[in-house]
Amino acid sequence: MAKWQRFLWLVFALALSSCRQDMHDQPRFKALAQSDFYSDLRSARPPVEGTVARGQLRSDSYFYTGKVGSDPGDYMPFPVTEEVLKRGQERFNIYCAPCHSRLGDGNGMIAQRGFRHPPSYHEERLRKAPLGYLFSVMTDGFGAMPSYADQIPADDRWRIVAYIRALQLSQNATEADTSGQQVPSPPAQFEEPGSGATLAVPVPRSAEAGEEQK
Ligand code: HEC
């Protein structure tokens, strides 16, 4: 190969090397841009009918609606453990107690300040309400109460349901619920002042003679 031929090859190779095209600048449509390629003038194709976004299949419909068919079901979709109740309590106190109060009697601060009073959870009707009903109230909203589906994920909503049931039991327990175990009565020294019993409150050190005057 003559020298000038080699030189030509070099120029040719250099010229070719600048022809590469990266993926990020290949011909493409900008999102939502108009295009006259398709008759509907949309550059993007609509997804096939019935397409489900990843993570949104929700095949377990009870878990997301609390309903079996069109009626509320009355079981938890997962076992209730102490952890479940603790998380339920925490979420309840954050999201529900402002109106329903920590006791669930419907006398939360927002209700005290003029918002419509929610019913007490301890009334007969709500004590007997199926678990799925409590779940659906949070999911869909109820009357003046908005839906909490966007703020509280479904698993936490179920944990709140479990905690509400525990709250209801706590306010309506009978001796039979203790399954024969004796309920310890509070020690005498913690009785109300004035009831005749002595309060075993230690005297603070600083209140003892002379300590404060140095
Ligand atoms: C902004 C105040 C507010 C908050 C926060 C709130 N609620 Fe309510 N809730 C209400 C009111 C008001 C009602 C009564 C609505 C009505 O009768 O129009 C109600 C009713 C209910 C009922 C009874 C439905 C019935 O059949 O009577 C349940 C159960 C309930 N709420 C659960 C919850 C739970 C669980 C949360 C927390 C995730 C929550 N609420 C948060 C205001 C609130």
Side-chain angles (χ1 to χ4, degrees), residues 30 34 65 71 76 85 94 105 123 135 145 156 171 200 203 212:
K30 288 199 167 133
Q34 184 177 330
T65 62
D71 296 326
M76 284 289 292
L85 282 176
I94 293 170
D105 60 9
E123 66 179 43
F135 183 88
M145 180 185 140
D156 276 343
Q171 301 298 302
V203 181
E212 254 159 346

Side-chain angles (χ1 to χ4, degrees), residues 13-26:
L14 278 177
L16 264 188
S17 70
S18 60
C19 283
R20 95 173 223 215
Q21 186 173 45
D22 285 335
M23 271 177 88
H24 66 260
D25 59 28
Q26 68 191 328

Side-chain angles (χ1 to χ4, degrees), residues 5 12 17 19 21 42 56-57 60 71 74 78 86 96 122 124 139 148 156 158 160 172-173 179 183 186 189 193 203:
Q5 273 177 316
F12 189 55
S17 70
C19 283
Q21 186 173 45
R42 290 193 276 184
Q56 311 223 323
L57 182 55
D60 181 356
D71 296 326
D74 198 14
F78 48 79
K86 284 214 164 120
C96 320
H122 309 301
E124 177 89 359
T139 305
Y148 280 83
D156 276 343
W158 280 112
I160 292 175
N172 294 280
S179 59
V183 185
Q189 67 263 37
V203 181

Side-chain angles (χ1 to χ4, degrees), residues 91-100 110-111 115-121 123 125-126 129 133-135 137-138 141-148 152 157 160-161 164 168:
R91 298 289 104 180
F92 177 87
N93 287 343
I94 293 170
Y95 287 108
C96 320
C99 294
H100 287 269
I110 297 180
F115 193 73
R116 189 185 167 130
H117 255 85
S120 166
Y121 292 150
E123 66 179 43
R125 178 180 64 87
L126 288 175
Y133 177 73
L134 302 177
F135 183 88
V137 169
M138 263 182 275
F142 180 88
M145 180 185 140
S147 156
Y148 280 83
I152 313 174
R157 272 178 270 148
I160 292 175
V161 165
I164 292 180
Q168 291 173 322

